[in-house]
Amino acid sequence: MEKNKPARRDFIKLSALTLGSLTLAPLVNADAKPFKPLKKVNTGGKKLHIVCLGAHPGDPEFGCGGTMAKYSGAGHSVTFLYLTRGEASDPNKTHAGMAALRTKEAETACKIVNATPQFAGQIDGDSILNKEWNDKATKMLAALTPDIVFTQWPVDAHRDHQVTGLLGLTAWVRSGRKFDLYFYEVNTGVETMAFTPTDYVDITAEQEKKKQAMFAHQTQDPVNTYNNYFKPLEEFRGLEAGVKAAEAFIHFKAGDKRAGIIGL
Ligand SMILES: [Zn+2]
């Protein structure tokens, strides 16, 4: 190496910095206004029944465990309706063995967020979307008389999640759109796709409880799943909502609840 000539590594570093100062500054817009705090929708003291539909044990907890803990903490009742018992999640175990294990994990998680678990009776990896199941899911949800149903966003890489989302959507349509319907996301970028939230829930105070509910699912590699997927997502949705941690939803609205376009 010649003494007065910069090493190639230094040259690269220098040019990157120069380029950086040209393209990236200013990084922060000092004039930007902070987000408005999230609006609380008043129920007028009415206690609600919330049903959260998920394909597998863990989906309601990972997708909206913070929101569900917030509901139960506010005195509302919460039911998690799992389409399957996660039977197929370990090829080295029998369906019956895995179902028993994951049912136990779901029950533990439900205790943490104060939800009641129910199982719809479909089989993991083999979920069915047909007329019979549309009827069954509609009846199951109607029997629970929910005020609000949360279900999975059907544009998802996992077929069971697609089926769960669509069973919820059809049940909502057939109920005469009697309850409010929200879609939730799981593992966005890997499973959930094309998800543009309409509403956010601040889960800063419930983040730890949600983490405990997720960690109840020991078969689901919770350390990796939480640290690399769900924690960053909670923080990213928090940035969008102007809080430390948030969960995001798509609210499907019946005709009379849709907002008009301002000025028309
Ligand atoms: Zn799932």
Side-chain angles (χ1 to χ4, degrees), residues 55-59 102 152 158 160-161 186 191:
H56 311 105
D59 284 322
R102 295 198 63 187
Q152 297 192 246
H158 199 309
D160 292 344
H161 297 175
V186 283
E191 293 184 321

Side-chain angles (χ1 to χ4, degrees), residues 58-67 184-186 210 230 247-249:
D59 284 322
E61 297 89 320
F62 282 65
C64 44
T67 300
Y184 65 88
E185 55 182 338
V186 283
K210 177 185 178 182
F230 285 87
E247 286 169 342
F249 303 98

Side-chain angles (χ1 to χ4, degrees), residues 192-228:
T192 293
M193 294 177 275
F195 189 86
T196 306
T198 59
D199 296 272
Y200 295 83
V201 174
D202 178 3
I203 61 153
T204 307
E206 290 77 21
Q207 207 179 9
E208 188 50 40
K209 196 172 252 189
K210 177 185 178 182
K211 185 181 170 186
Q212 285 172 23
M214 291 193 278
F215 274 66
H217 293 278
Q218 278 301 310
T219 60
Q220 301 307 297
D221 190 13
V223 176
N224 169 47
T225 311
Y226 179 71
N227 288 329
N228 295 318

